[in-house]
Amino acid sequence: MSEEEEDKSQAGRWIIGVVAALVLYVLSYGPVYAFVKKHIKSGSGEEVVASIYAPLSWFAVNTPLGVPMASYCNWWCAVFDVPVYFNYGPRERD
């Protein structure tokens, strides 16, 4: 393999890795939230998780993606038997 082909292959691996990490980040939102609500009472652990997922929380509140995200979180809360109900969605502006 030539050096140019190796560079393209390396770039492709990085792109796939970044995309995979972003997908895992989004998909981990529901299970991590449900796990924290069930097993970590309150305090710094909950705050750390909230700060890590703050960008997704913003999207959930400020975009139409909030409805499917709420359904996804509600499903995971049911899996972990956590009595939490999400009702995300875009807020009405004044």
Side-chain angles (χ1 to χ4, degrees):
M1 205 186 303
S2 73
E3 189 173 319
E4 186 176 315
E5 289 173 336
E6 281 185 31
D7 289 344
K8 286 182 182 180
S9 178
Q10 182 95 7
R13 287 188 195 120
W14 273 100
I15 290 170
I16 289 171
V18 168
V19 169
L22 288 173
V23 167
L24 288 174
Y25 171 69
V26 171
L27 291 178
S28 68
Y29 183 62
V32 168
Y33 183 84
F35 181 84
V36 166
K37 282 295 184 189
K38 184 166 186 161
H39 297 291
I40 298 176
K41 295 306 173 199
S42 62
S44 63
E46 194 172 23
E47 292 171 9
V48 168
V49 171
S51 64
I52 290 170
Y53 288 100
L56 288 180
S57 296
W58 183 90
F59 273 100
V61 171
N62 295 296
T63 70
L65 293 175
V67 175
M69 288 175 71
S71 296
Y72 184 66
C73 284
N74 288 331
W75 184 80
W76 276 104
C77 286
V79 167
F80 280 92
D81 197 28
V82 176
V84 175
Y85 178 76
F86 287 93
N87 191 11
Y88 285 149
R91 295 180 184 162
E92 291 194 22
R93 307 287 182 217
D94 293 334

